[in-house]
Amino acid sequence: FFFFQAEDGIRDFCLSRGLGDVYKRQAQISQISSEYTAVGWEPSAQILALGTSNGVIELWDSEKQKLMIAYRGHRDRIASLSWCNSSTFSSGSRDRQISTFDLRRPKNLFKWTEHKLEVCGLKWSPNEQMLASGGNDNKVMICLLYTSDAADDLLCVDLGGRRIIKK
C-alpha cells in the first residue's frame, strides 16, 4: 500500500496498462522486489520508479514495459520518491535516509540521515536546486543543492529547529 500525489498518478491509458502489467509481473520478479510502497514518474513519463517494502527501487521503461535497473540503496521500505529531472531522483525510506541518484552515475550522489523517523514525503523544486522532505518525526527539511568547481555540495535547513546542516 502506498500514497502518491495526483501528479504522480497514471497519465494516460497506455501507461495505466503498462502499470497494470508491472503489477502482473510482480510475482515473476519476486526475487527482486516485494510489495510496492512508493511510485514516481520521471518528468517525460518514460520511466516509472517503484519503491518496494524491502528497500529496492525499480526503474521501469514505460514504453518497453521492462525493468531497467534495480537500486538497492536502503535498508527498509521506500516511502517516497521524487524526480528532479530526467536523470536525477531522490528516495526516502523508513530507514530515515534520503538518497539521491543520477542515472548517469553508477553510485548515488548523496545520502543523508537528518530525520529521526521515516521519510514519508519528498518534492524537488521546479528550479532543481532544492529538495523538501517531510518525516514522521514531524520535521520538514529543505536541502539546497549547489555546485562549485571543487565538488557538489549540500546544505540542509531544519525548518522546525531552524538549524543549518552542511554536508
Side-chain angles (χ1 to χ4, degrees):
F1 182 72
F2 56 86
F3 299 96
F4 59 94
Q5 296 176 335
E7 66 204 44
D8 291 329
I10 297 164
R11 297 199 177 172
D12 60 31
F13 176 75
C14 176
L15 293 176
S16 69
R17 193 172 131 238
L19 181 60
D21 290 344
V22 167
Y23 285 113
K24 289 176 192 170
R25 287 195 194 118
Q26 185 172 358
Q28 298 169 4
I29 59 170
S30 60
Q31 70 277 7
I32 296 173
S33 69
S34 52
E35 295 177 329
Y36 292 117
T37 55
V39 63
W41 284 109
E42 173 264 335
S44 70
Q46 298 298 308
I47 301 171
L48 178 65
L50 295 172
T52 69
S53 61
N54 62 358
V56 175
I57 303 161
E58 299 175 357
L59 298 185
W60 288 82
D61 183 310
S62 64
E63 289 182 10
K64 296 177 185 173
Q65 300 181 10
K66 294 198 184 273
L67 180 65
M68 297 167 45
I69 191 167
Y71 289 102
R72 290 168 174 80
H74 291 280
R75 295 181 309 273
D76 209 333
R77 90 168 159 216
I78 307 299
S80 52
L81 292 165
S82 180
W83 285 86
C84 175
N85 52 45
S86 62
S87 63
T88 307
F89 71 95
S90 296
S91 58
S93 172
R94 182 188 267 176
D95 67 9
R96 304 179 344 229
Q97 291 186 354
I98 297 171
S99 292
T100 298
F101 300 89
D102 187 329
L103 301 181
R104 300 166 295 186
R105 297 183 185 180
K107 297 189 333 181
N108 58 347
L109 292 175
F110 298 105
K111 183 179 259 190
W112 66 97
T113 306
E114 294 300 332
H115 287 281
K116 303 296 182 216
L117 296 171
E118 180 173 34
V119 179
C120 56
L122 291 174
K123 187 66 176 176
W124 276 97
S125 65
N127 70 358
E128 303 178 1
Q129 296 299 306
M130 296 179 285
L131 176 65
S133 65
N136 285 343
D137 55 3
N138 295 320
K139 291 193 180 277
V140 174
M141 305 286 283
I142 304 292
C143 293
L144 309 169
L145 176 67
Y146 60 96
T147 57
S148 64
D149 292 336
D152 291 340
D153 220 343
L154 187 70
L155 183 69
C156 293
V157 179
D158 176 350
L159 295 181
R162 295 194 174 43
R163 62 189 180 104
I164 297 175
I165 304 134
K166 187 170 181 182
K167 298 287 180 189

